[in-house]
């Protein structure tokens, strides 16, 4: 799968097209704790189910925010259990 961009706002991830600037996804005064790019891979778990894994990296020039250590886990958790 291709890379996309993401931002973490108030503990929630927003994943969007790499054609959009990070700053266009954030409202004025919102606190962004992580931003960068995300690449998706798949793997087969111990039950034989295919799961999607998010790998966050990089940073946002338009926001001046780096990708954080826990962003990959948060993104993976959110895409596999969005409710």
């Amino acid at each position: 799968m291709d890379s996309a961009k993401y931002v973490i706002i108030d503990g929630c991830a927003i994943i969007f097209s790499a054609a959009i600037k990070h700053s266009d996804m954030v409202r004025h005064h919102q606190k962004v704790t992580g931003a960068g790019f995300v690449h998706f891979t798949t793997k087969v778990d111990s039950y034989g189910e295919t799961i999607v894994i998010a790998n966050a990296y990089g940073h946002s020039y338009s926001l001046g925010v780096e990708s954080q250590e826990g962003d990959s886990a948060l993104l993976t958790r959110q895409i596999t259990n969005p409710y």
Side-chain angles (χ1 to χ4, degrees):
M1 292 184 200
D2 290 332
S3 292
K5 290 182 178 178
Y6 79 95
V7 293
I8 306 290
I9 301 170
D10 294 326
C12 295
I14 302 170
I15 300 169
F16 54 96
S17 167
I20 300 170
K21 291 189 329 185
H22 286 97
S23 60
D24 289 340
M25 298 303 293
V26 180
R27 291 186 181 147
H28 192 61
H29 296 298
Q30 284 185 308
K31 182 172 171 61
V32 177
T33 57
F37 294 85
V38 59
H39 180 77
F40 300 99
T41 57
T42 59
K43 75 174 192 175
V44 177
D45 68 10
S46 60
Y47 299 104
E49 298 290 326
T50 301
I51 56 173
V52 177
I53 305 295
N55 299 296
Y57 63 95
H59 62 280
S60 165
Y61 285 110
S62 64
L63 295 174
V65 177
E66 299 279 332
S67 178
Q68 303 299 310
E69 185 175 328
D71 289 356
S72 293
L74 177 68
L75 289 160
T76 298
R77 205 168 38 250
Q78 188 168 309
I79 60 175
T80 57
N81 188 16
Y83 304 106

